[in-house]
mmCIF file of all heavy atoms in Angstrom:
data_model
loop_
_atom_site.group_PDB
_atom_site.id
_atom_site.type_symbol
_atom_site.label_atom_id
_atom_site.label_comp_id
_atom_site.label_asym_id
_atom_site.label_seq_id
_atom_site.Cartn_x
_atom_site.Cartn_y
_atom_site.Cartn_z
ATOM 1 N N LYS E 238 6.341 3.124 -3.194
ATOM 2 C CA LYS E 238 7.496 3.614 -2.370
ATOM 3 C C LYS E 238 8.138 2.432 -1.622
ATOM 4 O O LYS E 238 7.434 1.558 -1.058
ATOM 5 C CB LYS E 238 7.017 4.638 -1.314
ATOM 6 C CG LYS E 238 8.130 5.237 -0.473
ATOM 7 C CD LYS E 238 7.634 6.351 0.475
ATOM 8 C CE LYS E 238 8.734 6.905 1.337
ATOM 9 N NZ LYS E 238 9.804 7.564 0.556
ATOM 10 N N GLU E 239 9.419 2.443 -1.683
ATOM 11 C CA GLU E 239 10.241 1.456 -0.958
ATOM 12 C C GLU E 239 10.715 1.966 0.341
ATOM 13 O O GLU E 239 11.239 3.143 0.413
ATOM 14 C CB GLU E 239 11.379 0.955 -1.804
ATOM 15 C CG GLU E 239 12.193 -0.189 -1.187
ATOM 16 C CD GLU E 239 13.400 0.197 -0.392
ATOM 17 O OE1 GLU E 239 13.730 1.428 -0.481
ATOM 18 O OE2 GLU E 239 13.944 -0.599 0.346
ATOM 19 N N TYR E 240 10.621 1.233 1.459
ATOM 20 C CA TYR E 240 11.214 1.624 2.724
ATOM 21 C C TYR E 240 11.689 0.350 3.443
ATOM 22 O O TYR E 240 10.954 -0.605 3.587
ATOM 23 C CB TYR E 240 10.253 2.331 3.605
ATOM 24 C CG TYR E 240 10.809 2.636 4.958
ATOM 25 C CD1 TYR E 240 11.775 3.652 5.109
ATOM 26 C CD2 TYR E 240 10.408 1.978 6.093
ATOM 27 C CE1 TYR E 240 12.352 3.932 6.363
ATOM 28 C CE2 TYR E 240 10.950 2.213 7.353
ATOM 29 C CZ TYR E 240 11.901 3.205 7.461
ATOM 30 O OH TYR E 240 12.509 3.431 8.708
ATOM 31 N N ASN E 241 12.938 0.340 3.819
ATOM 32 C CA ASN E 241 13.569 -0.748 4.561
ATOM 33 C C ASN E 241 13.357 -2.079 3.837
ATOM 34 O O ASN E 241 12.964 -3.090 4.459
ATOM 35 C CB ASN E 241 12.929 -0.805 5.975
ATOM 36 C CG ASN E 241 13.745 -1.662 6.966
ATOM 37 O OD1 ASN E 241 14.960 -1.828 6.745
ATOM 38 N ND2 ASN E 241 13.102 -2.118 7.993
ATOM 39 N N ASN E 242 13.623 -2.071 2.548
ATOM 40 C CA ASN E 242 13.522 -3.288 1.703
ATOM 41 C C ASN E 242 12.115 -3.867 1.627
ATOM 42 O O ASN E 242 11.921 -5.081 1.469
ATOM 43 C CB ASN E 242 14.501 -4.343 2.152
ATOM 44 C CG ASN E 242 15.722 -4.375 1.345
ATOM 45 O OD1 ASN E 242 15.737 -4.070 0.185
ATOM 46 N ND2 ASN E 242 16.842 -4.851 1.941
ATOM 47 N N ARG E 243 11.101 -2.983 1.782
ATOM 48 C CA ARG E 243 9.718 -3.400 1.681
ATOM 49 C C ARG E 243 8.991 -2.367 0.799
ATOM 50 O O ARG E 243 9.253 -1.157 0.914
ATOM 51 C CB ARG E 243 9.092 -3.523 3.038
ATOM 52 C CG ARG E 243 7.825 -4.311 3.121
ATOM 53 C CD ARG E 243 7.295 -4.470 4.551
ATOM 54 N NE ARG E 243 6.049 -5.268 4.610
ATOM 55 C CZ ARG E 243 5.103 -5.079 5.527
ATOM 56 N NH1 ARG E 243 5.279 -4.167 6.457
ATOM 57 N NH2 ARG E 243 4.063 -5.822 5.494
ATOM 58 N N TRP E 244 8.046 -2.820 -0.039
ATOM 59 C CA TRP E 244 7.363 -1.948 -0.978
ATOM 60 C C TRP E 244 5.984 -1.636 -0.544
ATOM 61 O O TRP E 244 5.278 -2.526 0.038
ATOM 62 C CB TRP E 244 7.378 -2.577 -2.394
ATOM 63 C CG TRP E 244 8.672 -2.502 -3.042
ATOM 64 C CD1 TRP E 244 9.654 -3.370 -3.074
ATOM 65 C CD2 TRP E 244 9.192 -1.330 -3.844
ATOM 66 N NE1 TRP E 244 10.743 -2.962 -3.778
ATOM 67 C CE2 TRP E 244 10.458 -1.717 -4.243
ATOM 68 C CE3 TRP E 244 8.621 -0.135 -4.175
ATOM 69 C CZ2 TRP E 244 11.218 -0.836 -5.080
ATOM 70 C CZ3 TRP E 244 9.388 0.684 -4.946
ATOM 71 C CH2 TRP E 244 10.641 0.337 -5.375
ATOM 72 N N PHE E 245 5.517 -0.400 -0.772
ATOM 73 C CA PHE E 245 4.207 0.089 -0.376
ATOM 74 C C PHE E 245 3.553 0.775 -1.520
ATOM 75 O O PHE E 245 4.207 1.491 -2.298
ATOM 76 C CB PHE E 245 4.317 1.012 0.816
ATOM 77 C CG PHE E 245 4.924 0.373 2.047
ATOM 78 C CD1 PHE E 245 6.254 0.322 2.243
ATOM 79 C CD2 PHE E 245 4.072 -0.264 3.021
ATOM 80 C CE1 PHE E 245 6.830 -0.234 3.383
ATOM 81 C CE2 PHE E 245 4.609 -0.813 4.170
ATOM 82 C CZ PHE E 245 5.985 -0.832 4.314
ATOM 83 N N LEU E 246 2.226 0.584 -1.673
ATOM 84 C CA LEU E 246 1.434 1.308 -2.643
ATOM 85 C C LEU E 246 0.583 2.402 -1.889
ATOM 86 O O LEU E 246 -0.136 2.080 -0.972
ATOM 87 C CB LEU E 246 0.454 0.340 -3.370
ATOM 88 C CG LEU E 246 -0.575 1.002 -4.283
ATOM 89 C CD1 LEU E 246 0.089 1.662 -5.454
ATOM 90 C CD2 LEU E 246 -1.602 -0.096 -4.718
ATOM 91 N N PHE E 247 0.696 3.612 -2.363
ATOM 92 C CA PHE E 247 -0.066 4.746 -1.765
ATOM 93 C C PHE E 247 -1.121 5.167 -2.766
ATOM 94 O O PHE E 247 -0.887 5.251 -3.929
ATOM 95 C CB PHE E 247 0.868 5.959 -1.469
ATOM 96 C CG PHE E 247 1.696 5.790 -0.247
ATOM 97 C CD1 PHE E 247 2.851 4.993 -0.307
ATOM 98 C CD2 PHE E 247 1.352 6.332 0.955
ATOM 99 C CE1 PHE E 247 3.666 4.858 0.817
ATOM 100 C CE2 PHE E 247 2.093 6.172 2.080
ATOM 101 C CZ PHE E 247 3.286 5.419 2.022
ATOM 102 N N GLY E 248 -2.352 5.382 -2.197
ATOM 103 C CA GLY E 248 -3.407 5.810 -3.033
ATOM 104 C C GLY E 248 -4.579 6.291 -2.148
ATOM 105 O O GLY E 248 -4.590 6.149 -0.912
ATOM 106 N N ALA E 249 -5.604 6.786 -2.847
ATOM 107 C CA ALA E 249 -6.795 7.284 -2.114
ATOM 108 C C ALA E 249 -7.910 6.233 -2.219
ATOM 109 O O ALA E 249 -8.155 5.632 -3.295
ATOM 110 C CB ALA E 249 -7.310 8.603 -2.739
ATOM 111 N N LEU E 250 -8.533 5.912 -1.033
ATOM 112 C CA LEU E 250 -9.573 4.987 -1.025
ATOM 113 C C LEU E 250 -10.824 5.533 -1.672
ATOM 114 O O LEU E 250 -11.242 6.649 -1.399
ATOM 115 C CB LEU E 250 -9.894 4.666 0.475
ATOM 116 C CG LEU E 250 -10.816 3.395 0.732
ATOM 117 C CD1 LEU E 250 -10.125 2.152 0.234
ATOM 118 C CD2 LEU E 250 -11.074 3.308 2.234
ATOM 119 N N ASP E 251 -11.376 4.793 -2.655
ATOM 120 C CA ASP E 251 -12.538 5.348 -3.391
ATOM 121 C C ASP E 251 -13.691 5.610 -2.443
ATOM 122 O O ASP E 251 -14.031 4.829 -1.575
ATOM 123 C CB ASP E 251 -12.946 4.303 -4.453
ATOM 124 C CG ASP E 251 -13.998 4.848 -5.385
ATOM 125 O OD1 ASP E 251 -13.782 5.875 -5.946
ATOM 126 O OD2 ASP E 251 -15.036 4.199 -5.470
ATOM 127 N N GLY E 252 -14.333 6.724 -2.719
ATOM 128 C CA GLY E 252 -15.526 7.088 -1.931
ATOM 129 C C GLY E 252 -15.161 7.983 -0.703
ATOM 130 O O GLY E 252 -15.980 8.754 -0.289
ATOM 131 N N ARG E 253 -13.952 7.821 -0.229
ATOM 132 C CA ARG E 253 -13.536 8.588 0.941
ATOM 133 C C ARG E 253 -12.292 9.483 0.595
ATOM 134 O O ARG E 253 -12.107 10.519 1.261
ATOM 135 C CB ARG E 253 -13.124 7.643 2.110
ATOM 136 C CG ARG E 253 -14.298 6.845 2.568
ATOM 137 C CD ARG E 253 -13.858 5.739 3.603
ATOM 138 N NE ARG E 253 -13.157 6.306 4.738
ATOM 139 C CZ ARG E 253 -12.635 5.571 5.689
ATOM 140 N NH1 ARG E 253 -12.713 4.259 5.630
ATOM 141 N NH2 ARG E 253 -12.034 6.128 6.766
ATOM 142 N N MET E 254 -11.587 9.127 -0.466
ATOM 143 C CA MET E 254 -10.426 9.849 -0.898
ATOM 144 C C MET E 254 -9.427 10.051 0.268
ATOM 145 O O MET E 254 -8.747 11.097 0.401
ATOM 146 C CB MET E 254 -10.768 11.176 -1.547
ATOM 147 C CG MET E 254 -11.604 10.968 -2.855
ATOM 148 S SD MET E 254 -10.930 9.857 -4.067
ATOM 149 C CE MET E 254 -9.458 10.761 -4.544
ATOM 150 N N GLU E 255 -9.352 9.078 1.163
ATOM 151 C CA GLU E 255 -8.429 9.058 2.256
ATOM 152 C C GLU E 255 -7.187 8.357 1.861
ATOM 153 O O GLU E 255 -7.266 7.271 1.186
ATOM 154 C CB GLU E 255 -9.080 8.456 3.476
ATOM 155 C CG GLU E 255 -8.143 8.286 4.680
ATOM 156 C CD GLU E 255 -8.808 7.590 5.813
ATOM 157 O OE1 GLU E 255 -10.038 7.360 5.743
ATOM 158 O OE2 GLU E 255 -8.152 7.241 6.769
ATOM 159 N N ILE E 256 -6.018 8.862 2.128
ATOM 160 C CA ILE E 256 -4.768 8.265 1.658
ATOM 161 C C ILE E 256 -4.503 7.008 2.468
ATOM 162 O O ILE E 256 -4.458 6.986 3.703
ATOM 163 C CB ILE E 256 -3.550 9.214 1.823
ATOM 164 C CG1 ILE E 256 -3.807 10.396 0.893
ATOM 165 C CG2 ILE E 256 -2.211 8.497 1.439
ATOM 166 C CD1 ILE E 256 -3.874 10.112 -0.614
ATOM 167 N N TYR E 257 -4.296 5.856 1.791
ATOM 168 C CA TYR E 257 -3.976 4.573 2.377
ATOM 169 C C TYR E 257 -2.574 4.151 1.845
ATOM 170 O O TYR E 257 -2.161 4.569 0.750
ATOM 171 C CB TYR E 257 -4.986 3.531 1.930
ATOM 172 C CG TYR E 257 -6.089 3.283 2.906
ATOM 173 C CD1 TYR E 257 -6.912 4.386 3.374
ATOM 174 C CD2 TYR E 257 -6.461 2.024 3.358
ATOM 175 C CE1 TYR E 257 -7.917 4.181 4.280
ATOM 176 C CE2 TYR E 257 -7.489 1.782 4.232
ATOM 177 C CZ TYR E 257 -8.244 2.862 4.724
ATOM 178 O OH TYR E 257 -9.238 2.638 5.599
ATOM 179 N N ASN E 258 -1.906 3.350 2.681
ATOM 180 C CA ASN E 258 -0.723 2.648 2.123
ATOM 181 C C ASN E 258 -0.895 1.169 2.394
ATOM 182 O O ASN E 258 -1.287 0.757 3.507
ATOM 183 C CB ASN E 258 0.564 3.238 2.679
ATOM 184 C CG ASN E 258 0.915 2.744 4.048
ATOM 185 O OD1 ASN E 258 1.291 1.594 4.209
ATOM 186 N ND2 ASN E 258 0.838 3.613 5.025
ATOM 187 N N LEU E 259 -0.657 0.375 1.318
ATOM 188 C CA LEU E 259 -0.771 -1.038 1.406
ATOM 189 C C LEU E 259 0.564 -1.738 1.121
ATOM 190 O O LEU E 259 1.176 -1.361 0.089
ATOM 191 C CB LEU E 259 -1.819 -1.512 0.405
ATOM 192 C CG LEU E 259 -3.225 -0.928 0.572
ATOM 193 C CD1 LEU E 259 -4.168 -1.450 -0.559
ATOM 194 C CD2 LEU E 259 -3.866 -1.263 1.898
ATOM 195 N N ALA E 260 1.001 -2.603 1.981
ATOM 196 C CA ALA E 260 2.267 -3.298 1.757
ATOM 197 C C ALA E 260 2.054 -4.347 0.575
ATOM 198 O O ALA E 260 1.100 -5.084 0.576
ATOM 199 C CB ALA E 260 2.714 -4.005 3.003
ATOM 200 N N LEU E 261 2.948 -4.327 -0.348
ATOM 201 C CA LEU E 261 2.808 -5.273 -1.500
ATOM 202 C C LEU E 261 2.881 -6.722 -1.125
ATOM 203 O O LEU E 261 2.268 -7.535 -1.754
ATOM 204 C CB LEU E 261 3.907 -4.906 -2.573
ATOM 205 C CG LEU E 261 3.469 -3.914 -3.671
ATOM 206 C CD1 LEU E 261 3.097 -2.593 -3.115
ATOM 207 C CD2 LEU E 261 4.550 -3.835 -4.699
ATOM 208 N N ASP E 262 3.594 -7.050 -0.033
ATOM 209 C CA ASP E 262 3.709 -8.436 0.349
ATOM 210 C C ASP E 262 2.445 -8.915 0.993
ATOM 211 O O ASP E 262 2.339 -10.147 1.291
ATOM 212 C CB ASP E 262 4.892 -8.635 1.287
ATOM 213 C CG ASP E 262 4.847 -7.777 2.510
ATOM 214 O OD1 ASP E 262 4.478 -6.666 2.471
ATOM 215 O OD2 ASP E 262 5.206 -8.347 3.532
ATOM 216 N N ARG E 263 1.468 -8.066 1.299
ATOM 217 C CA ARG E 263 0.183 -8.520 1.844
ATOM 218 C C ARG E 263 -0.947 -8.471 0.802
ATOM 219 O O ARG E 263 -2.085 -8.728 1.134
ATOM 220 C CB ARG E 263 -0.166 -7.611 3.026
ATOM 221 C CG ARG E 263 0.855 -7.540 4.111
ATOM 222 C CD ARG E 263 1.391 -8.843 4.592
ATOM 223 N NE ARG E 263 0.279 -9.731 5.048
ATOM 224 C CZ ARG E 263 0.371 -11.012 5.254
ATOM 225 N NH1 ARG E 263 1.583 -11.604 4.956
ATOM 226 N NH2 ARG E 263 -0.594 -11.762 5.738
ATOM 227 N N ILE E 264 -0.632 -8.110 -0.421
ATOM 228 C CA ILE E 264 -1.611 -8.116 -1.525
ATOM 229 C C ILE E 264 -1.817 -9.518 -1.961
ATOM 230 O O ILE E 264 -0.892 -10.209 -2.400
ATOM 231 C CB ILE E 264 -1.142 -7.166 -2.659
ATOM 232 C CG1 ILE E 264 -1.205 -5.680 -2.236
ATOM 233 C CG2 ILE E 264 -2.053 -7.358 -3.856
ATOM 234 C CD1 ILE E 264 -0.753 -4.758 -3.245
ATOM 235 N N VAL E 265 -3.061 -9.973 -1.948
ATOM 236 C CA VAL E 265 -3.395 -11.310 -2.442
ATOM 237 C C VAL E 265 -3.653 -11.317 -3.952
ATOM 238 O O VAL E 265 -3.164 -12.225 -4.680
ATOM 239 C CB VAL E 265 -4.711 -11.802 -1.690
ATOM 240 C CG1 VAL E 265 -5.089 -13.232 -2.205
ATOM 241 C CG2 VAL E 265 -4.522 -11.810 -0.172
ATOM 242 N N TYR E 266 -4.295 -10.300 -4.442
ATOM 243 C CA TYR E 266 -4.488 -10.173 -5.857
ATOM 244 C C TYR E 266 -4.862 -8.698 -6.198
ATOM 245 O O TYR E 266 -5.195 -7.902 -5.285
ATOM 246 C CB TYR E 266 -5.566 -11.074 -6.406
ATOM 247 C CG TYR E 266 -7.012 -10.677 -6.017
ATOM 248 C CD1 TYR E 266 -7.745 -9.778 -6.803
ATOM 249 C CD2 TYR E 266 -7.590 -11.123 -4.857
ATOM 250 C CE1 TYR E 266 -9.016 -9.396 -6.428
ATOM 251 C CE2 TYR E 266 -8.882 -10.739 -4.489
ATOM 252 C CZ TYR E 266 -9.545 -9.872 -5.259
ATOM 253 O OH TYR E 266 -10.789 -9.458 -4.912
ATOM 254 N N PHE E 267 -4.704 -8.292 -7.413
ATOM 255 C CA PHE E 267 -5.187 -6.934 -7.805
ATOM 256 C C PHE E 267 -5.601 -7.067 -9.266
ATOM 257 O O PHE E 267 -5.152 -7.904 -10.016
ATOM 258 C CB PHE E 267 -4.101 -5.915 -7.600
ATOM 259 C CG PHE E 267 -2.971 -5.958 -8.566
ATOM 260 C CD1 PHE E 267 -2.966 -5.259 -9.746
ATOM 261 C CD2 PHE E 267 -1.845 -6.727 -8.226
ATOM 262 C CE1 PHE E 267 -1.869 -5.305 -10.630
ATOM 263 C CE2 PHE E 267 -0.750 -6.828 -9.068
ATOM 264 C CZ PHE E 267 -0.774 -6.063 -10.277
#
C-alpha cells in the first residue's frame, strides 16, 4: 500500500498472526 508517497508492506507476523506494516524504505533485505 502506498500512502503519502511512501510504500508499506502489510502482513501477518508468523506465529502470532498479528497484522504488521513495514515501510519499504526501512527494509534492509528480504
Side-chain angles (χ1 to χ4, degrees):
K238 183 176 177 63
E239 185 267 347
Y240 176 73
N241 197 25
N242 260 333
R243 197 176 181 210
W244 284 93
F245 299 85
L246 171 67
F247 284 80
L250 192 64
D251 187 55
R253 296 171 60 183
M254 296 309 290
E255 177 182 351
I256 298 298
Y257 265 53
N258 81 71
L259 302 176
L261 265 61
D262 58 320
R263 306 309 303 167
I264 292 178
V265 179
Y266 71 89
F267 72 91

